Amino acid sequence: MTSGNGHRSGRRPGHSGTREAILDAARVRFAQVGFDRASIRSIATAASVDPALVHHYFGTKQQLFTAALEFPVDPDVILTQIAAVPLEQLGETIVRAVLTVWDSPAGVQAVAAFRTLIGSGDPALVRTFLLDVVLKDVRTRVDSPPGSGDKRAVLAASQLAGLLVTRKIIQIEPIASMSIAELAVSVGPTVQRYLTGDLPISY
């Protein structure tokens, strides 16, 4: 759709390459500067489209990020569960919420998306997803003493990444066949210690 002076404006729902151009630009921008610093406007500029068109195709920035990752599950499914529990229950809740997604019908696609991203040799999007989306609010909640939140979140992310690899990618037993409840009880306390326990963290 064009305005009277020939400039592009509004929505172009029939343009077959527009959605792909936005996704390509989003992947590059998110990898370069992370989720928080990548604005819809900067992504639209890189894709040579109006910012309104990005919202038309993808809605919010978080929905765009999910689509850029080809992640089949809305991160809010995990974030809502994590936000609802008190600090002392974060570890088990995070493990249970993440495992529930991985073991769901959409989990096969989710694991495949992460495997592709890791195998591409550019893990920036995976880091952004874990630290800037899933664990972003957690970092603030566990920032005690002040300045330790980022390192605590990274330690927790390392545990979750290791659990993903052992359970879903190389499928080491008995972790591969343990129930979600059993793993949450077994691994949750370790994640909890990273988040709220006494650690020799320098910052």
Side-chain angles (χ1 to χ4, degrees):
M1 175 174 163
T2 58
S3 61
N5 60 11
H7 292 296
R8 184 166 51 240
S9 64
R11 300 191 288 189
R12 295 184 298 160
H15 195 293
S16 61
T18 300
R19 190 177 188 278
E20 291 72 20
I22 294 171
L23 285 174
D24 287 342
R27 291 187 188 103
V28 171
R29 190 65 179 158
F30 285 132
Q32 287 176 336
V33 301
F35 180 81
D36 286 341
R37 294 176 60 192
S39 67
I40 291 292
R41 182 172 296 278
S42 68
I43 292 169
T45 298
S48 300
V49 300
D50 191 292
L53 198 58
V54 179
H55 290 292
H56 165 66
Y57 278 110
F58 299 102
T60 66
K61 185 169 72 167
Q62 184 164 297
Q63 290 171 324
L64 172 60
F65 185 66
T66 301
L69 280 176
E70 298 181 359
F71 195 66
V73 178
D74 188 340
D76 278 337
V77 172
I78 298 175
L79 297 176
T80 300
Q81 296 178 55
I82 295 173
V85 300
L87 196 63
E88 64 271 15
Q89 296 177 19
L90 277 177
E92 286 192 25
T93 301
I94 290 172
V95 173
R96 186 177 295 106
V98 170
L99 285 175
T100 298
V101 170
W102 290 343
D103 287 2
S104 71
V108 175
Q109 298 176 44
V111 173
F114 275 114
R115 184 186 289 115
T116 298
L117 287 169
I118 294 171
S120 70
D122 184 3
L125 287 176
V126 177
R127 286 198 304 268
T128 296
F129 179 75
L130 285 174
L131 299 178
D132 293 349
V133 179
V134 174
L135 294 175
K136 177 183 177 182
D137 292 338
V138 170
R139 284 186 302 175
T140 302
R141 293 180 67 185
V142 302
D143 191 32
S144 179
S148 65
D150 286 348
K151 289 187 177 180
R152 289 182 179 278
V154 170
L155 286 169
S158 72
Q159 192 72 30
L160 296 175
L163 191 56
L164 169 62
V165 171
T166 54
R167 183 172 175 83
K168 290 297 185 181
I169 296 180
I170 58 179
Q171 300 181 351
I172 296 177
E173 294 292 354
I175 291 178
S177 58
M178 288 171 69
S179 69
I180 291 175
E182 187 177 3
L183 276 173
V185 172
S186 300
V187 180
T190 299
V191 175
Q192 186 71 41
R193 184 175 69 86
Y194 287 150
L195 295 175
T196 60
D198 292 330
L199 296 174
I201 297 178
S202 60
Y203 45 89

